[in-house]
Amino acid sequence: MNRLGRRGFVFVSLMMGAVVSQPINTAAAYRESSTVHVEVSTRIAKPPAPTLPKKLSEPIRYAYSPCGDFGKTCGVWHVVTTSGKQWAVRDALPDEDLGKIAVSPDGVRLAYVLAKGERLVIRDLKRGTVRVVPTPKSWEGWEMSFGFSRNSRWLAVDSIGGHPKSRAIRYDVKTAKVLTLPRACCVIGISDVGTTFVAVHKDSAKTTEASAVRPGRTPKVRFPILPYLMLSKTHVSPDGHLLAFDGEKYGVPSRTIGTLDAKTGQIVSRVTPDIDGLREIESFVYWYDTSRVLIHIETKGYEPQLYLVDVHTGRAERVLLPEEAFDLHSVIVSSHVEVTE
């Protein structure tokens, strides 16, 4: 399938509610549109960022895919360290080709698909090493979906390419051991001890069921969930006790965050974030710690923003982003975030 075909496939899948975890780059889609309206930017183009070295002396704060005024760098993933230095990850499959990237919460590692060969790798920027994650050969690079656990120990990987017999895997970053999960389809989250929650379609896709796969044990915890929860690797709290989600898609008010008991699937709490001008919650991003989650919102002025929100109290802190990272769907944030006071 050519690159344009891949974009079309993902767009149609999203419209049909299929299992897709790679967000569309809306800026790129705008440029490819046949609309007669032309938007001209007056910003001055910045020089290309230097190529990411083998080692870094400081952790990564953000990864993002710049577009707009950046010419040939559009689609190339960039990382920003805690000091504000920027680097280009030029060997990664670019965002415009549906490439993905994951930053470990500790800011030390990157997981991404190589542009050449389309193999999934984990790059340790503290040690300067690169490991290939052994994924099934039938998985193409653009369709792989992956995410780290909160403590950066585990990487969960699955495929959005419609391989019903290809089971998701859990990769141990510390030991390089791979566990093939006993149930097919999609990871919805992984705890700090490696307990992995997997979602599968049941009854000819009429219902969706979640099950917990604990290290060395067969899955026993099972309960029905809504299919949309399959769109992320990060809905599980670090301690494995809760699943978090944005309320609109779970039958509660659109400006609320809900939590589920990870043993029963029952709703535990609902909270409205303390955010002025909140119009709606666009998506749940991930658990930042045991009580706060990162969410993507839209204000009444239709401005996209990221916030850290306490799931118990609703207290919110806005996350500050690089100026260039205007497309929030293409921003990956580590634990080293900077928030407003």
Side-chain angles (χ1 to χ4, degrees):
M1 182 182 295
N2 60 36
R3 300 304 189 197
L4 182 59
R6 290 177 183 176
R7 280 189 176 277
F9 166 77
V10 174
F11 177 75
V12 173
S13 299
L14 281 169
M15 294 300 292
M16 296 179 65
V19 182
V20 179
S21 62
Q22 169 61 19
I24 296 290
N25 188 314
T26 54
Y30 177 83
R31 293 194 310 277
E32 295 174 2
S33 171
S34 60
T35 179
V36 297
H37 299 289
V38 178
E39 183 175 286
V40 179
S41 176
T42 57
R43 290 190 297 170
I44 299 174
K46 294 183 179 181
T51 299
L52 181 67
K54 291 183 178 180
K55 290 185 178 183
L56 288 178
S57 59
E58 56 183 347
I60 295 170
R61 177 178 291 163
Y62 305 100
Y64 72 97
S65 176
C67 270
D69 301 326
F70 295 88
K72 293 182 180 180
T73 67
C74 181
V76 175
W77 288 101
H78 284 51
V79 295
V80 182
T81 61
T82 52
S83 68
K85 292 182 180 179
Q86 298 200 29
W87 309 91
V89 191
R90 302 192 190 283
D91 62 338
L93 190 66
D95 181 32
E96 61 189 1
D97 286 338
L98 303 185
K100 310 168 189 68
I101 197 166
V103 179
S104 62
D106 61 12
V108 172
R109 298 179 180 88
L110 291 175
Y112 57 88
V113 175
L114 293 172
K116 294 183 179 180
E118 298 196 357
R119 300 296 304 275
L120 177 62
V121 298
I122 294 181
R123 187 167 173 178
D124 189 318
L125 295 168
K126 186 175 183 179
R127 295 182 174 86
T129 59
V130 177
R131 286 182 179 177
V132 175
V133 179
T135 55
K137 294 182 179 179
S138 60
W139 293 4
E140 293 188 61
W142 68 273
E143 66 188 10
M144 292 184 199
S145 179
F146 42 87
F148 285 97
S149 60
R150 175 59 181 77
N151 63 354
S152 305
R153 170 71 184 270
W154 314 95
L155 184 76
V157 191
D158 58 29
S159 168
I160 63 173
H163 302 286
K165 295 183 180 180
S166 295
R167 302 186 183 277
I169 65 173
R170 188 195 67 198
Y171 182 82
D172 189 332
V173 174
K174 183 177 181 179
T175 66
K177 291 183 178 180
V178 176
L179 172 68
T180 300
L181 300 178
R183 307 193 76 192
C185 202
C186 311
V187 176
I188 58 176
I190 185 168
S191 74
D192 281 353
V193 298
T195 299
T196 309
F197 284 77
V198 183
V200 295
H201 287 309
K202 303 288 290 184
D203 305 325
S204 300
K206 291 182 180 179
T207 60
T208 304
E209 181 182 84
S211 63
V213 182
R214 293 182 173 84
R217 303 180 187 178
T218 56
K220 293 183 179 180
V221 176
R222 295 181 180 179
F223 51 82
I225 61 170
L226 289 181
Y228 99 96
L229 277 175
M230 300 166 75
L231 302 181
S232 173
K233 301 283 167 294
T234 53
H235 285 283
V236 179
S237 61
D239 57 16
H241 294 163
L242 297 173
L243 297 176
F245 54 89
D246 52 292
E248 182 178 16
K249 298 182 180 67
Y250 214 84
V252 295
S254 62
R255 296 189 301 112
T256 65
I257 296 173
T259 55
L260 297 178
D261 187 305
K263 291 184 178 180
T264 66
Q266 298 298 309
I267 293 179
V268 174
S269 65
R270 302 171 183 175
V271 64
T272 300
D274 183 18
I275 301 173
D276 292 335
L278 172 62
R279 181 174 178 268
E280 65 178 357
I281 298 173
E282 289 284 337
S283 63
F284 172 86
V285 182
Y286 69 81
W287 284 84
Y288 180 73
D289 51 32
T290 55
S291 63
R292 290 181 296 174
V293 297
L294 186 68
I295 61 171
H296 170 203
I297 74 156
E298 185 179 272
T299 67
K300 292 181 180 179
Y302 297 96
E303 180 185 1
Q305 297 175 358
L306 289 178
Y307 274 87
L308 283 175
V309 179
D310 190 302
V311 298
H312 305 296
T313 66
R315 183 178 182 273
E317 301 169 280
R318 185 175 178 181
V319 175
L320 301 178
L321 297 173
E323 179 184 352
E324 298 86 350
F326 59 87
D327 183 1
L328 293 187
H329 291 286
S330 294
V331 176
I332 297 89
V333 186
S334 77
S335 297
H336 299 270
V337 298
E338 183 179 355
V339 299
T340 57
E341 296 182 358

